[in-house]
Amino acid sequence: MCCQPPLAVDDIEELYQENIERVMNAPKGLPMIGITGGEPTLLGDKLIDLVALVREQLPDTEIHILSNGRAFVDGNYTMRLAAAGGDKLVVGVPFHSDYCLDHDLIAGCKGAYNETMIGLYNLAGAGVCIELRIVMNAINYRRFVPMAQFIHHNLPFVGWIAFMGMEYVGYAIKHSKNIWVEPKSYIPELCEAVKYLAEWNYDVCIYNIPLCLLLEQYRKFAVKSISDWKNKFLDLCDECSVKANCCGLFSTSIKPYEGLKPID
Amino acid sequence: MNYHLLPFTFTRISNHEVLVNELGDMIISPFGTVYKLVNREPVDEELFKSLAANFFVSDTAIPVLSDIYALRLREKKRFLDQFTALHIFVLTLRCNQNCVYCQASSCNEDCTSVTMTMHTMKKAVELMFKSPSPYLTMEFQGGEPSLEPKLLRYGIELAEEINKAEQKNINYVLCTNCVDLTDEVMDICKQYKVMISSSLDGPAYLHNTNRGKKDSYEKVVAGFERARSILGHDQVSALMTTSELALDYPIEIVDEYRRLGFRSIFLRALNPYGLATTNPDWTDYTDRFIEFYKTALNYIIDLNIQGTFFIEEYAAIILKKMITPYTTGFVDLQSPAGIINSVLVYNYDGYVYASDESRMLAEFNDYTFRLGHVDEPYENIVYGKAAKNAAKYWSNEALAGCTDCGVRTYCGADPVRNHSTQNDLYGYRPASLLCRKNKAIIEYIISLIIERYDEVMPIFKSWLL
Ligand code: SF4
């Protein structure tokens, strides 16, 4: 499941050169550089070179790589990437379910779960900070609480855990019958899972869910996660007292979430 | 349905079937779940997913993620990695009190033949440094070890000296009744950051009756205050022992600990050692202790619900094994057992024992767990005959009665206790009172999680952070 449909073209070389240029021209005080895709680890050693270049040019910039984690089955590759990135490297890895067949179904690939799990252990072994991303959908939301327990028992080393609302576009539309679920239907499971993890002192956050869908005690976990150029607010949001702290909605979504209601 | 079963045990608690795997992960399921799994009958879909995710069933005979299973198991047995960390030095049997249940077979203050020589101390400290563990705890016991300040100082300074080259992380603990903490002793404690571990049984009437003295309580409490003011509040801890009399006062004992500014209590049963063996009926005592424990634990939970942070340490140890991927270094609930693996005892007379309880047996001429003498080489002691013999019985994974026990991963093996109470290191679980006690307490904690999940879980978690 992906919001940016993969294209079956080999664009690696061209894009790579563009990226090198971007890094060379970036301002030195840049707080964060995101490397995403597609799947950036498909660059293979070039990704390591790119990370090393960023590290050299921008020593204080956090490097955030978004990856499905499967390439990290290769422990050696993982170690080399970790060494190139130094201590300000974060890898965001989607974790769709603790049950392998559900994860594989959502990832669209058999065997993905096992590879991602081993990849996560290799990343942790190499000392890389991991952002575990749970994209909330119709297949996995019933398991949010078991997933939280699973994370605590099997992946206690992750840096933080992000529960992410889905954007209602792209690939998600094609499979929308199977995947799409209104956030209001999973809010109870979400809150219980967040509570479970927060009580264990895990850093846990909620992305892309407007504040009015959350009970007050869970709003502190919500992050203004949708970039300005991608977000929008509804007219009714003007009456809302917490609009300034709210992530709003994806401007690209084809319809707003159900249950939005301004907070006094 | 086609799948393989991975190793797990199960038991029935609070109308549920509780399944526990080798990693201590627990699944709470309806009655009949195991029967269905064994016969490959369908179970609830979400339950099945949880069983598959958490290493209870697998679609291959060897799970694809067996390396992760192995890493997790290693974490659960982490206490074995570094070998003996706790080293107990019994400085003397001399004592200035006369407790009714004294487990250390003390003698009175004037006696001289029961004190460790400087030579023994030197050899014992050298042996301690033979342990590969980067963390060492040097614990001084007695009798009353504060009666031997010179020996105490000598032992610590020798350890400090050797440690200049060894660079280990050393903690010092002085187990004292706090009745007579002289300036000399306090100076040593301050200089070397020695923690004070004391004993307090509860309110004055209880404590004084147990201690066989009228004013023991006042002296101990004054000692606490003195030690806290010199060493810092958190440098002083207290242990309680539940005498027969104490069984009637669970609430009062907890309140006393709170009143004295402690943030935790370790509800500890009597040991059937030393003078305490004169206690008339152990079965009766054990059953009453279990009820005492439950009452006190419930009271402590209520305190926490009302906003007072207060820990019951024994429950916290069990919970750490149960609801976290980690383990504890607590020597009494381990498999392989804590003896030798986690603790060694250097007795005043120069002999080395497998545990504190082992040396108490020796006071009754039972030398089963005497590993050797400080003048012998390290290897002869920790790999010697007595050690090898005990090692045959120190894993509950391989003891009849324990192997298939539903709460085995939260419990431990105790060949010393088996030997002292049943005259058999292997032990016979159906008649073991230690088993009865541990099983009852562990199952009670699980029942709380089943029946009062939302109430107790936030509290249990807060105890472990
Ligand atoms: S001693 Fe008893 S409670 Fe403990 S593992 Fe053995 S059978 Fe179970």
Side-chain angles (χ1 to χ4, degrees):
Chain A
M1 182 206 62
C2 179
C3 302
Q4 290 147 318
L7 301 173
V9 293
D10 190 352
D11 50 3
I12 285 179
E13 196 51 47
E14 194 182 323
L15 292 178
Y16 185 66
Q17 287 309 328
E18 268 176 42
N19 282 324
I20 300 250
E21 228 133 275
R22 281 199 194 116
V23 171
M24 299 303 282
N25 296 329
K28 294 295 167 215
L30 195 67
M32 207 252 275
I33 269 195
I35 303 178
T36 156
E39 171 53 44
T41 56
L42 291 178
L43 284 174
D45 280 2
K46 281 212 167 72
L47 177 64
I48 296 175
D49 296 344
L50 182 65
V51 166
L53 180 76
V54 177
R55 194 36 73 242
E56 186 192 303
Q57 294 295 315
L58 308 162
D60 298 322
T61 301
E62 181 187 308
I63 306 171
H64 193 291
I65 300 176
L66 217 52
S67 163
N68 61 31
R70 296 171 58 193
F72 304 118
V73 161
D74 181 344
N76 189 277
Y77 180 73
T78 313
M79 291 298 254
R80 288 192 294 129
L81 182 76
D87 64 346
K88 290 195 193 64
L89 174 66
V90 178
V91 177
V93 178
F95 180 68
H96 297 303
S97 175
D98 60 333
Y99 179 56
C100 66
L101 296 185
D102 284 351
H103 180 98
D104 288 0
L105 181 69
I106 298 168
C109 173
K110 198 166 177 324
Y113 174 83
N114 289 331
E115 287 178 1
T116 298
M117 279 298 291
I118 295 167
L120 287 167
Y121 267 76
N122 284 340
L123 283 168
V128 177
C129 176
I130 297 167
E131 175 197 51
L132 204 67
R133 317 181 111 207
I134 298 168
V135 181
M136 300 183 278
N137 61 57
I139 296 174
N140 66 10
Y141 80 88
R142 280 179 205 87
R143 297 199 62 73
F144 286 169
V145 176
M147 280 164 80
Q149 291 166 346
F150 179 89
I151 290 164
H152 171 56
H153 284 266
N154 294 279
L155 303 166
F157 45 73
V158 296
W160 74 92
I161 299 128
F163 286 89
M164 307 176 61
M166 250 170 69
E167 204 172 344
Y168 201 3
V169 290
Y171 234 28
I173 293 188
K174 215 160 86 192
H175 294 286
S176 62
K177 268 206 216 84
N178 306 331
I179 287 278
W180 174 254
V181 57
E182 279 294 338
K184 67 168 195 206
S185 13
Y186 60 64
I187 294 295
E189 285 85 352
L190 169 63
C191 291
E192 209 185 321
V194 166
K195 176 175 185 289
Y196 176 90
L197 290 166
E199 278 170 355
W200 279 125
N201 273 356
Y202 289 95
D203 272 331
V204 46
C205 47
I206 303 172
Y207 292 168
N208 312 345
I209 298 295
L211 294 176
C212 56
L213 290 179
L214 297 168
L215 281 175
E216 194 178 344
Q217 68 264 41
Y218 294 100
R219 287 183 202 146
K220 64 169 185 256
F221 298 104
V223 177
K224 274 191 86 169
S225 48
I226 308 179
S227 344
D228 288 346
W229 59 272
K230 247 178 146 182
N231 85 340
K232 68 168 181 192
F233 287 92
L234 303 178
D235 289 347
L236 60 86
C237 299
D238 290 340
E239 292 159 43
C240 179
S241 63
V242 296
K243 181 180 171 190
N245 298 323
C246 183
C247 66
L249 300 158
F250 288 106
S251 54
T252 41
S253 280
I254 51 173
K255 64 171 184 137
Y257 297 144
E258 287 172 15
L260 303 179
K261 183 165 149 240
I263 298 167
D264 302 330
Chain B
M1 281 209 166
N2 199 4
Y3 53 81
H4 300 261
L5 299 182
L6 297 176
F8 65 83
T9 60
F10 69 102
T11 183
R12 289 179 174 169
I13 301 170
S14 300
N15 289 319
H16 288 76
E17 227 159 77
V18 177
L19 283 60
V20 183
N21 68 12
E22 292 297 309
L23 306 171
D25 295 342
M26 180 167 88
I27 299 253
I28 293 162
S29 67
F31 267 14
T33 299
V34 174
Y35 179 88
K36 287 182 185 162
L37 290 175
V38 169
N39 293 294
R40 304 300 190 270
E41 290 173 18
V43 298
D44 172 76
E45 189 184 346
E46 294 301 324
L47 172 63
F48 184 79
K49 288 178 179 179
S50 290
L51 291 165
N54 293 287
F55 299 108
F56 287 80
V57 302
S58 163
D59 53 7
T60 48
I62 309 266
V64 182
L65 297 181
S66 57
D67 281 351
I68 290 177
Y69 192 106
L71 277 167
R72 288 203 50 208
L73 189 58
R74 187 170 77 172
E75 184 59 42
K76 282 287 177 187
K77 301 287 185 187
R78 164 101 36 224
F79 60 89
L80 290 174
D81 269 10
Q82 296 162 337
F83 213 44
T84 327
L86 175 59
H87 298 261
I88 296 176
F89 294 72
V90 182
L91 300 190
T92 181
L93 292 187
R94 294 168 61 218
C95 189
N96 47 14
Q97 292 208 106
N98 186 20
C99 308
V100 285
Y101 50 61
C102 179
Q103 300 165 16
S105 28
S106 58
C107 5
N108 77 33
E109 252 174 287
D110 314 319
C111 199
T112 51
S113 61
V114 292
T115 294
M116 188 180 270
T117 63
M118 296 288 175
H119 168 81
T120 296
M121 175 57 88
K122 176 166 181 287
K123 288 289 176 182
V125 171
E126 286 167 7
L127 281 173
M128 172 176 80
F129 276 99
K130 290 271 166 59
S131 164
S133 176
Y135 297 92
L136 297 176
T137 296
M138 201 173 170
E139 182 172 304
F140 303 99
Q141 290 194 8
E144 174 50 46
S146 70
L147 296 176
E148 301 295 341
K150 302 226 161 24
L151 189 61
L152 179 65
R153 180 178 282 282
Y154 174 71
I156 293 177
E157 289 182 350
L158 187 63
E160 291 285 309
E161 187 56 37
I162 298 177
N163 202 36
K164 281 185 188 149
E166 294 279 345
Q167 294 290 317
K168 298 191 184 229
N169 198 317
I170 310 185
N171 287 309
Y172 302 105
V173 180
L174 177 65
C175 298
T176 168
N177 57 29
C178 281
V179 164
D180 194 12
L181 293 172
T182 61
D183 291 343
E184 192 180 4
V185 170
M186 284 290 90
D187 283 349
I188 300 171
C189 292
K190 191 163 171 72
Q191 187 176 355
Y192 296 104
K193 298 201 170 54
V194 180
M195 301 253 315
I196 300 286
S197 169
S198 190
S199 35
L200 181 81
D201 295 339
Y205 53 90
L206 197 62
H207 185 87
N208 287 339
T209 314
N210 285 348
R211 305 285 153 167
K213 296 217 172 168
K214 273 207 184 68
D215 56 351
S216 171
Y217 174 87
E218 285 72 18
K219 283 186 177 167
V220 170
V221 172
F224 283 167
E225 289 317 315
R226 178 166 148 76
R228 279 171 168 171
S229 68
I230 297 172
L231 306 174
H233 191 275
D234 292 338
Q235 288 294 98
V236 180
S237 64
L239 263 181
M240 61 87 60
T241 304
T242 314
S243 64
E244 253 200 305
L245 179 63
L247 290 169
D248 293 328
Y249 302 100
I251 311 285
E252 291 82 353
I253 293 169
V254 172
D255 280 341
E256 182 65 23
Y257 267 68
R258 286 174 60 212
R259 207 178 59 75
L260 291 172
F262 292 107
R263 287 169 18 115
S264 69
I265 191 169
F266 195 133
L267 298 170
R268 206 166 54 133
L270 274 176
N271 289 338
Y273 297 98
L275 299 181
T277 43
T278 54
N279 188 294
D281 183 349
W282 272 100
T283 311
D284 180 60
Y285 173 84
T286 303
D287 289 340
R288 287 180 64 205
F289 177 81
I290 292 165
E291 287 316 306
F292 162 89
Y293 182 89
K294 290 180 184 174
T295 309
L297 181 62
N298 265 312
Y299 179 61
I300 291 169
I301 289 170
D302 286 345
L303 288 175
N304 282 275
I305 290 174
Q306 288 151 24
T308 307
F309 179 77
F310 194 85
I311 301 175
E312 200 289 297
E313 304 272 5
Y314 196 63
I317 288 160
I318 292 165
L319 284 163
K320 185 142 185 208
K321 295 160 153 247
M322 192 179 282
I323 60 175
T324 84
Y326 312 112
T327 187
T328 76
F330 179 66
V331 300
D332 287 352
L333 276 182
Q334 284 181 6
S335 177
I339 55 168
I340 309 172
N341 294 306
S342 301
V343 57
L344 282 173
V345 177
Y346 310 94
N347 207 11
Y348 68 94
D349 57 5
Y351 287 100
V352 183
Y353 291 93
S355 67
D356 201 28
E357 304 180 356
S358 308
R359 64 119 173 171
M360 287 162 194
L361 281 175
E363 293 298 329
F364 294 86
N365 305 319
D366 180 335
Y367 303 110
T368 312
F369 302 98
R370 179 187 267 185
L371 305 176
H373 193 273
V374 291
D375 287 326
E376 288 178 66
Y378 176 74
E379 290 72 19
N380 287 16
I381 296 170
V382 300
Y383 301 115
K385 246 191 181 158
K388 250 160 59 186
N389 190 41
K392 285 187 239 163
Y393 313 107
W394 73 16
S395 292
N396 66 6
E397 286 87 347
L399 293 176
C402 294
T403 13
D404 54 357
C405 165
V407 299
R408 189 224 319 133
T409 49
Y410 311 131
C411 192
D414 197 339
V416 181
R417 185 65 67 87
N418 293 343
H419 171 76
S420 74
T421 56
Q422 301 186 322
N423 200 21
D424 167 16
L425 279 76
Y426 192 99
Y428 178 63
R429 250 55 61 195
S432 160
L433 292 174
L434 183 67
C435 171
R436 185 193 299 214
K437 184 200 83 175
N438 283 344
K439 194 176 270 181
I441 289 177
I442 296 169
E443 292 190 352
Y444 186 65
I445 291 170
I446 296 175
S447 78
L448 289 174
I449 293 177
I450 294 175
E451 291 166 22
R452 298 169 62 191
Y453 185 91
D454 290 336
E455 248 179 332
V456 298
M457 278 302 275
I459 295 165
F460 289 167
K461 289 176 180 181
S462 74
W463 290 358
L464 302 175
L465 289 173

